[in-house]
Amino acid sequence: MRRLSFFCITAVPLLAVFAGVMLYPQMLWSDSLRLMTNLEYRVNNNKITDKTTGVTRKVDNKLFWQIYNLDMQKELFPNLTLNGGGVFEENKIDTKVDGDDSDRKETAIRPYIDLQLNSPLLKATTGYHKNELKLSGSELETSRRFTKEYIGSAAWKPVELPKVDFYYSHFLRYNKPNSTEQKIDKESDVYQLESRYDYQKYQFDYSHTTSKDHDRVTGFETTSDTDIGIVRYNDSFQQGKFTLGGGVRIKRDQIKFSGSGDRLVPTPITGSPFYNLDDPPPATSNNIDDFITNQPLSNVNLLQSGASQLSFGLDFRAAEELDTIYVYLAPDSPLNNQASSSEVDSIKDLYSWSVFVSDDQMNWTRQAITHNKFEVFENRFEISFLPVKAPFVKIAVTPLPTLLLPGKEILLSNLRSFRTLPPDTSKFTTTDWKTDMTLNWKMSERTSSGYDFFYREETSDPFDDKRTLLSLGTRLTHKINHIFDTNLRLSHIAVTERGEADRTGYVLSSSLMADYLETFSQSLTYSFTRQDDDDDGTGTTNALLLRNNLYLYEGWSMVFDTGYTWQNPVYGEDSNRTFVRVDNSIIPNQWMNFTLYYEISWTDTDGRKKRREETRRLIASWVPLASLSLNADVLMTDNSGKDDYSSTVQQYSVNWSPFRDGTLQFSLSYNVLDDNQNDDTWVISPMASWQINKQSLLTCDYSVGERDGQREKNEFDTLRMTLRIFY
């Protein structure tokens, strides 16, 4: 019945179009035709010397990459449009390692057809998309992967009535392997219904999503139903003196399982990612500041020669039950050097993974891995380990050398955590509801205040888990006079979880701002944070920051900051930090621009050597002619204490366009990285770009350089030529 309803949605409209074409051949004439061709030829040579053994290896590769894209559009009837086309892509790489030749070729064909109805009241779409990928090579068994997707959607937007959107997708993923053990055959169905209605000061939203995943090889099937209901209210009173806003959101998820397979459900808390690019074995001891947070995981590269073991993981803030982590990789595209999922699949078995858990992010315990694989269709590693309950989990791995996939990178995208339910579980249900309210009160022309309330409750069945969060906050803003302003904010957070100790927190922040002159202003901010845990104790953090904004002369502005922080954390040693920061922006005329930045900080931690971190940076640009520009960027860092590290990064570039229309452009860049850890790099890169006509662009660039690391030295050069044709 599911297959019948699916073909009614997708096949019938397409058959109707086919019949119309047979009756009216003039419908074949396209109203819009777009062609795009991208041809790239790349030659890369590497001379890699192992500093320990003195052995030198030569790795050369040639790449020819071609893309042909065709898009057509035909208006069949008023408001009815047929779109179609496809992409042909072929990537061929010839590699020579110490005289031994090998090759690999990846070919993809992606046709599509869509039928769109576009009217003021009703919009609808139905379509078919296919992707066929073939991978072959001298050292690979030929393999083929296929995806097919049938889609249908409708959007009804009446006047003064609820808006309704419907979406349906039938997605097939399968391959043609050389053995039955590698067979993949999966199908997914997604039904989605959304509705929204605005009535006076109220807003009503409702959505329902049903997802069905069926593994035809094992017979395992998962069906998930998600319902979300939202009601919001906003109003003002007494001519805007009071404003009130709030709402309620209820979400219910139910997952049903049938057949034999892992019953995975996401962890209630997703966790915040962190990483450490130098985490050598055994990786059982760290300092908290070893890890980088609030930075994208795309900074982590799993394919780099001579790199030491690195790690990445999730911080859940509180103990969380889990046993599986999905490591998603960044997608490959013509704009990056990311390896494709097929290329990663060819080297996946060479990685050696380790999983660690911790209560304090400093002392780690290895967790035995029970299963790991690479899911080529989803472009992710799936790593399972013994069940554990911990606030921190990290995965350690040593990147593979680049000679396996010359010129490529394997960058991370994001992490997702799961826990596995017992094998006899047939249904898992979670309910998450939250309510919030905000009240703002304009007490006078100089004084205003606000109050916040937020409550969230999560429950699950059959485990009878329950977690609640209550947040209360108040804020006050007052203008003392035409010079001084002040504001104050106080908030309280309480978290309870069945079977766990209660956690509470308090945050206080206060600031005083002063505008003495049009050219000089200051702000002084103090913040205090307190965290209480019934099991682990109390932690506090205090911070004081003074900011000065100065406009010294026309074209010269400066920001001068100084601050002091002292903290007594729940985990780890007490510490204090003092810093000074100066940021100058100088624009002497319309042709020049300078930025000068300097920051120095001192950190004193109990039981450790005092640490000093210093950063200096100069950015300069000069445009002497409309066709000529010069740029320089010099960054110097100097850290002493636990890690005595210093580095200098220099980037210089010249850009020249000899003709006013900019059809011909030349550039030359020179980059240098020099540090005291025997990791030095220099690269020179000339480039030329010629806009042959409105439809054609020819680009040629060359790079030559040297990367001198602790373990190996790599002398390299790369020539790349690209031709793009648009029609």
Side-chain angles (χ1 to χ4, degrees):
M1 206 53 198
R2 178 174 62 189
R3 285 296 186 87
L4 182 60
S5 63
F6 157 69
F7 283 113
C8 290
I9 294 175
T10 57
V12 172
L14 296 177
L15 288 174
V17 172
F18 177 77
V21 170
M22 294 297 100
L23 295 174
Y24 302 97
Q26 63 270 24
M27 293 176 64
L28 289 172
W29 302 341
S30 174
D31 297 327
S32 173
L33 179 66
R34 291 187 304 168
L35 298 171
M36 189 277 290
T37 299
N38 189 94
L39 304 175
E40 179 178 321
Y41 179 71
R42 184 190 306 172
V43 179
N44 178 256
N45 303 305
N46 296 267
K47 182 180 178 182
I48 304 172
T49 303
D50 189 303
K51 290 187 174 182
T52 303
T53 62
V55 176
T56 298
R57 307 187 66 186
K58 292 184 178 181
V59 181
D60 304 326
N61 66 85
K62 298 178 181 179
L63 175 146
F64 182 54
W65 178 43
Q66 46 188 327
I67 297 179
Y68 305 93
N69 190 7
L70 170 66
D71 296 297
M72 297 181 294
Q73 186 178 81
K74 173 66 178 179
E75 185 178 285
L76 304 177
F77 301 101
N79 300 327
L80 185 63
T81 304
L82 179 67
N83 300 308
V87 177
F88 173 82
E89 180 178 354
E90 185 177 85
N91 191 350
K92 189 175 187 303
I93 303 176
D94 296 316
T95 303
K96 179 183 289 187
V97 180
D98 295 335
D100 297 329
D101 295 329
S102 64
D103 64 81
R104 58 185 294 132
K105 184 169 69 172
E106 187 173 323
T107 305
I109 303 175
R110 294 187 286 270
Y112 76 94
I113 183 171
D114 292 319
L115 182 65
Q116 295 180 343
L117 173 66
N118 192 354
S119 67
L121 183 63
L122 179 64
K123 300 180 186 296
T125 301
T126 183
Y128 169 75
H129 299 234
K130 182 181 179 181
N131 185 7
E132 179 179 345
L133 182 66
K134 178 183 177 181
L135 182 65
S136 60
S138 58
E139 299 179 352
L140 298 173
E141 293 183 349
T142 300
S143 61
R144 290 179 173 86
R145 300 202 315 271
F146 304 85
T147 63
K148 296 180 181 179
E149 185 177 20
Y150 304 84
I151 60 172
S153 65
W156 183 47
K157 298 182 179 180
V159 179
E160 297 183 356
L161 289 175
K163 301 176 183 178
V164 180
D165 294 302
F166 173 76
Y167 173 81
Y168 173 74
S169 170
H170 181 70
F171 191 48
L172 301 172
R173 308 178 299 282
Y174 61 96
N175 66 349
K176 291 184 178 179
N178 297 300
S179 62
T180 56
E181 292 80 6
Q182 298 174 333
K183 179 66 176 176
I184 298 175
D185 191 358
K186 299 180 180 181
E187 65 175 344
S188 302
D189 292 277
V190 177
Y191 306 82
Q192 190 173 58
L193 176 68
E194 294 182 352
S195 180
R196 178 173 178 173
Y197 182 48
D198 295 327
Y199 177 74
Q200 295 182 357
K201 299 178 176 63
Y202 295 90
Q203 177 182 311
F204 302 90
D205 290 272
Y206 172 75
S207 67
H208 172 81
T209 302
T210 296
S211 300
K212 298 181 179 180
D213 295 298
H214 180 216
D215 191 325
R216 293 179 175 180
V217 177
T218 64
F220 182 60
E221 184 169 315
T222 302
T223 303
S224 62
D225 294 285
T226 301
D227 294 275
I228 301 176
I230 302 174
V231 179
R232 297 209 61 82
Y233 171 82
N234 288 281
D235 199 1
S236 60
F237 309 94
Q238 295 188 6
Q239 300 179 344
K241 189 175 183 179
F242 294 93
T243 59
L244 177 65
V248 177
R249 178 183 184 272
I250 301 177
K251 178 182 178 182
R252 183 178 183 272
D253 290 294
Q254 186 177 81
I255 305 177
K256 296 180 180 179
F257 306 95
S258 64
S260 177
D262 293 333
R263 286 149 165 76
L264 294 177
V265 294
T267 56
I269 297 178
T270 57
S272 302
F274 60 84
Y275 63 87
N276 181 0
L277 299 181
D278 186 12
D279 197 358
T284 55
S285 179
N286 290 109
N287 295 313
I288 294 179
D289 53 8
D290 290 344
F291 298 100
I292 300 174
T293 59
N294 301 320
Q295 295 290 330
L297 286 174
S298 57
N299 293 327
V300 179
N301 184 6
L302 301 184
L303 189 68
Q304 46 181 322
S305 296
S308 60
Q309 177 175 277
L310 54 81
S311 64
F312 51 87
L314 293 170
D315 174 8
F316 298 101
R317 305 296 180 187
E320 192 69 49
E321 293 184 10
L322 73 160
D323 54 39
T324 300
I325 289 183
Y326 286 176
V327 182
Y328 286 87
L329 305 181
D332 64 302
S333 79
L335 302 178
N336 60 34
N337 295 320
Q338 179 75 0
S340 67
S341 59
S342 299
E343 292 173 320
V344 178
D345 187 58
S346 66
I347 62 172
K348 64 179 185 300
D349 296 329
L350 301 179
Y351 283 104
S352 178
W353 306 93
S354 300
V355 176
F356 300 85
V357 295
S358 173
D359 292 328
D360 54 13
Q361 210 176 9
M362 294 185 294
N363 301 296
W364 298 87
T365 302
R366 183 187 291 269
Q367 202 73 3
I369 293 179
T370 59
H371 173 74
N372 81 84
K373 71 174 183 177
F374 181 75
E375 178 56 61
V376 66
F377 281 103
E378 305 296 337
N379 197 26
R380 72 190 180 204
F381 286 99
E382 300 178 357
I383 302 175
S384 298
F385 42 91
L386 292 178
V388 67
K389 188 171 185 177
F392 301 97
V393 59
K394 75 173 182 180
I395 298 174
V397 63
T398 299
L400 296 178
T402 55
L403 61 87
L404 295 172
L405 298 174
K408 294 292 186 176
E409 298 176 316
I410 301 179
L411 306 180
L412 303 190
S413 174
N414 66 292
L415 306 175
R416 292 189 62 192
S417 54
F418 300 85
R419 62 173 173 171
T420 304
L421 304 178
D424 59 347
T425 303
S426 60
K427 184 172 63 175
F428 181 76
T429 305
T430 60
T431 303
D432 178 4
W433 76 273
K434 62 181 74 172
T435 180
D436 67 276
M437 184 189 70
T438 300
L439 174 64
N440 295 312
W441 176 22
K442 187 177 181 181
M443 306 169 67
S444 67
E445 292 298 326
R446 291 187 173 185
T447 307
S448 62
S449 63
Y451 309 91
D452 301 319
F453 166 81
F454 177 83
Y455 178 77
R456 180 178 183 179
E457 181 176 302
E458 301 171 90
T459 58
S460 65
D461 180 69
F463 297 109
D464 197 27
D465 292 336
K466 183 177 181 181
R467 179 180 300 180
T468 65
L469 184 148
L470 173 65
S471 175
L472 302 171
T474 181
R475 57 190 182 280
L476 177 68
T477 301
H478 178 65
K479 186 175 183 62
I480 301 173
N481 52 41
H482 69 284
I483 296 178
F484 295 100
D485 293 341
T486 183
N487 61 59
L488 175 70
R489 179 175 178 81
L490 176 64
S491 61
H492 167 70
I493 299 175
V495 179
T496 63
E497 183 177 0
R498 186 165 294 166
E500 297 291 331
D502 293 344
R503 303 184 301 277
T504 58
Y506 302 88
V507 178
L508 169 68
S509 64
S510 176
S511 61
L512 176 66
M513 291 80 67
D515 291 324
Y516 304 108
L517 303 169
E518 292 184 359
T519 58
F520 179 43
S521 63
Q522 278 186 319
S523 65
L524 178 64
T525 303
Y526 168 75
S527 62
F528 169 78
T529 302
R530 177 187 174 98
Q531 296 178 332
D532 293 322
D533 190 301
D534 289 351
D535 285 343
D536 299 322
T538 301
T540 61
T541 300
N542 296 266
L544 195 62
L545 171 65
L546 175 63
R547 164 157 291 188
N548 302 270
N549 298 292
L550 301 97
Y551 301 90
L552 302 175
Y553 298 98
E554 184 177 356
W556 183 9
S557 61
M558 177 191 297
V559 177
F560 176 73
D561 296 337
T562 181
Y564 180 69
T565 302
W566 64 102
Q567 57 181 351
N568 309 96
V570 176
Y571 301 108
E573 299 83 4
D574 296 349
S575 65
N576 61 75
R577 177 176 181 266
T578 305
F579 75 90
V580 177
R581 179 170 54 226
V582 182
D583 192 355
N584 286 272
S585 176
I586 303 174
I587 308 176
N589 52 51
Q590 59 180 333
W591 305 285
M592 295 183 178
N593 193 330
F594 299 93
T595 299
L596 293 91
Y597 178 87
Y598 178 79
E599 179 177 1
I600 185 170
S601 66
W602 299 268
T603 303
D604 192 1
T605 304
D606 290 351
R608 300 189 200 172
K609 185 179 179 181
K610 191 171 184 178
R611 184 172 183 176
R612 180 181 63 84
E613 300 174 292
E614 187 176 6
T615 302
R616 290 160 287 181
R617 188 172 190 180
L618 168 64
I619 303 175
S621 64
W622 180 32
V623 187
L625 301 172
S627 59
L628 179 65
S629 65
L630 297 91
N631 301 277
D633 187 346
V634 180
L635 173 64
M636 293 178 286
T637 59
D638 185 8
N639 301 335
S640 64
K642 173 185 175 290
D643 300 313
D644 292 331
Y645 176 78
S646 62
S647 67
T648 301
V649 180
Q650 304 176 63
Q651 302 179 52
Y652 306 97
S653 64
V654 179
N655 299 280
W656 178 46
S657 180
F659 304 117
R660 285 184 174 271
D661 57 6
T663 55
L664 185 61
Q665 297 182 9
F666 299 95
S667 68
L668 176 65
S669 65
Y670 175 62
N671 301 324
V672 181
L673 168 62
D674 184 14
D675 65 17
N676 64 345
Q677 302 293 326
N678 296 323
D679 190 2
D680 304 331
T681 302
W682 64 265
V683 182
I684 298 177
S685 302
M687 189 272 288
S689 176
W690 180 25
Q691 186 79 45
I692 303 172
N693 51 45
K694 293 182 178 180
Q695 289 81 31
S696 305
L697 175 65
L698 177 64
T699 303
C700 180
D701 61 82
Y702 177 74
S703 298
V704 59
E706 180 181 284
R707 184 179 299 109
D708 193 354
Q710 296 181 2
R711 297 178 177 85
E712 64 181 25
K713 179 180 179 180
N714 184 8
E715 302 170 70
F716 60 89
D717 63 87
T718 301
L719 172 65
R720 182 174 62 178
M721 299 183 66
T722 303
L723 175 63
R724 294 182 182 178
I725 302 175
F726 306 89
Y727 175 75

